Amino acid sequence: MIQFTNLAKTFRRARVLDGINLSIGLGERVALIGSNGAGKTTLIRCLLGEYTHEGEVAIAGLDPRSHRTAVLGDIGFVPQLPPPLKMPVGQLIDFSAALCGTEPQRIHAIAQRLGLDIAAILTRQFVRLSGGMKQKLLIAIALGRNARVLVMDEPAANLDPEARKIFFDLLAERLNDTTMIISSHRLDEVSALVNRVIEMDLGRIVLDDKVADDLTLTDVLHCRIVLKRFEPAFAKALEGWDVTAENCGQLLWTGKIAGPDRLRFLGIVSRYTALIGELSLSEAGNV
């Protein structure tokens, strides 16, 4: 589906990509990880046809630069930093839908599932939306097209836990017919979403490994936490998660966690290890 052959890119004599050879097949979900400056963003920009480069890039056999319209019509892209567009939201949706031959209402429906009240913001400029609202809209635009390639740069960074759960559900609906590349600085943020991990450093691939794919994106975990004592900071940390106190003393907390979010949740809870007497996460299956 995607092929990089001897891909190299230089900026002002600095070698940012250095001989990348990589094949990614249809249905693969790839975590593209690495520190700042590793070359992840440049690799994505070459894939989108935005940079000239040495070597070759092909999506379904087509060069993204010389067949730009055809290739971009087959890609859904969620950038890490939202563009500073002054275009009204309604106009942006209509423009994006026309560009890829989809219906604006399809984008509206996905945005609504993510918890974005589209009707209330249609006339607002995109640039004036909150970070979370921009992220939800960009995801809706990317998933609202019949793209066989999804390229997402820190796609859930600004989403609340409930929106993240819905985002995972939306990705699950596309598993069989879509190739996904999810770029992130941290593997624990995306590990449960992918079945392959590619790590970059100094413009080269230093790790390319298949990972266990037992967890489905729609899995839900039952959570049970017993505190030794209550601290208000613990309750504040769990705001937005579907976990609540079950008694007046606020020592027993129960709820549900999206399976792909388990590491993120455990990372938050781990800050309060001294308070926790018991912690369990048990699989509840798909919902």
Side-chain angles (χ1 to χ4, degrees), residues 161-162 165 219-224 240-244 253-259 261 265 281-282 284 287:
E162 179 58 28
K165 172 64 173 65
D219 276 351
V220 172
L221 305 176
H222 285 308
C223 173
R224 185 175 189 273
W241 295 90
D242 187 16
V243 179
T244 56
W253 293 68
T254 62
K256 296 178 180 179
I257 303 296
D261 249 349
F265 179 74
L281 293 174
S282 56
V287 295

Side-chain angles (χ1 to χ4, degrees), residues 149-274:
V149 177
L150 288 176
V151 181
M152 298 170 282
D153 198 348
E154 306 280 3
N158 291 317
L159 299 183
D160 56 82
E162 179 58 28
R164 285 172 64 89
K165 172 64 173 65
I166 297 167
F167 174 59
F168 300 147
D169 291 343
L170 289 166
L171 291 185
E173 296 169 6
R174 306 286 294 272
L175 291 185
N176 295 326
D177 60 355
T178 306
T179 297
M180 302 182 192
I181 299 177
I182 306 174
S183 177
S184 180
H185 294 95
R186 296 175 53 184
L187 179 58
D188 62 348
E189 289 283 336
V190 298
S191 61
L193 302 177
V194 302
N195 52 23
R196 183 177 176 187
V197 175
I198 295 174
E199 182 177 0
M200 295 185 66
D201 186 38
L202 299 178
R204 297 184 177 184
I205 294 174
V206 295
L207 173 70
D208 185 352
D209 199 12
K210 300 285 186 179
V211 297
D213 197 21
D214 298 330
L215 177 68
T216 64
L217 298 184
T218 55
D219 276 351
V220 172
L221 305 176
H222 285 308
C223 173
R224 185 175 189 273
I225 302 173
V226 179
L227 300 180
K228 299 175 184 177
R229 68 180 189 280
F230 174 71
E231 290 285 350
F234 178 81
K236 186 171 181 60
L238 293 190
E239 287 180 359
W241 295 90
D242 187 16
V243 179
T244 56
E246 292 292 327
N247 52 30
C248 295
Q250 296 185 285
L251 295 181
L252 174 62
W253 293 68
T254 62
K256 296 178 180 179
I257 303 296
D261 249 349
R262 68 175 76 193
L263 289 179
R264 182 183 178 93
F265 179 74
L266 288 174
I268 291 173
V269 172
S270 67
R271 305 170 194 167
Y272 304 94
T273 302

Side-chain angles (χ1 to χ4, degrees), residues 27-45:
E28 286 197 281
R29 306 190 307 277
V30 176
L32 184 63
I33 64 172
S35 60
N36 286 331
K40 305 188 303 300
T41 298
T42 303
L43 183 72
I44 288 174
R45 296 297 180 183

